[in-house]
Amino acid sequence: SVEAEKRALGRIYCPKCKKGYNIYYEALKPKMDNICDICGEKLLRRSDDNSESFKQRYITYIDNTLPIISYYKSKGILKEIADKVKDIFKEIVKEFIKII
């Protein structure tokens, strides 16, 4: 999907403090291009965050993960969460709280 590709190909991170950013999402961009907001270090990109690697990872996802999703959906026990990056963690925690 286009959204998954933006998430993967837009990732950059600080090698010093490990803070993550994404150049395609306004809320996740560093304040200054390629400079960590926290420690001022130059930001890096993972070597495997490129179009070819993404395509291979996405094919693997389609081949291996979609059948699992279909299985759990057919059992009525699949929990779907938000598509918005900022809401994902909050929804995962909410679902975990329901089962503990």
Side-chain angles (χ1 to χ4, degrees):
S1 88
V2 173
E3 190 68 22
E5 188 170 15
K6 282 173 60 176
R7 287 181 185 172
L9 300 185
R11 290 187 291 206
I12 52 177
Y13 71 97
C14 177
K16 184 175 180 183
C17 72
K18 307 301 182 210
K19 169 93 170 111
Y21 300 89
N22 192 301
I23 61 172
Y24 295 122
Y25 297 96
E26 205 56 46
L28 300 175
K29 286 182 179 180
K31 291 179 178 108
M32 291 178 52
D33 285 346
N34 294 315
I35 302 295
C36 180
D37 295 346
I38 296 172
C39 68
E41 193 76 17
K42 183 174 170 35
L43 300 174
L44 301 176
R45 181 178 310 275
R46 286 178 21 178
S47 62
D48 64 337
D49 278 348
N50 58 61
S51 293
E52 281 307 309
S53 291
F54 173 78
K55 287 175 190 171
Q56 187 56 51
R57 289 193 306 253
Y58 195 68
I59 289 168
T60 300
Y61 166 80
I62 298 295
D63 292 345
N64 297 327
T65 306
L66 283 185
I68 295 168
I69 292 171
S70 296
Y71 172 80
Y72 284 107
K73 193 177 276 188
S74 74
K75 299 288 184 192
I77 56 175
L78 179 72
K79 299 289 183 188
E80 295 192 46
I81 59 171
D83 286 337
K84 302 276 189 245
V85 172
K86 65 183 178 130
D87 297 329
I88 291 172
F89 179 75
K90 182 172 55 175
E91 289 203 30
I92 290 172
V93 170
K94 185 173 82 177
E95 290 302 322
F96 274 121
I97 289 171
K98 289 179 186 178
I99 61 174
I100 55 170

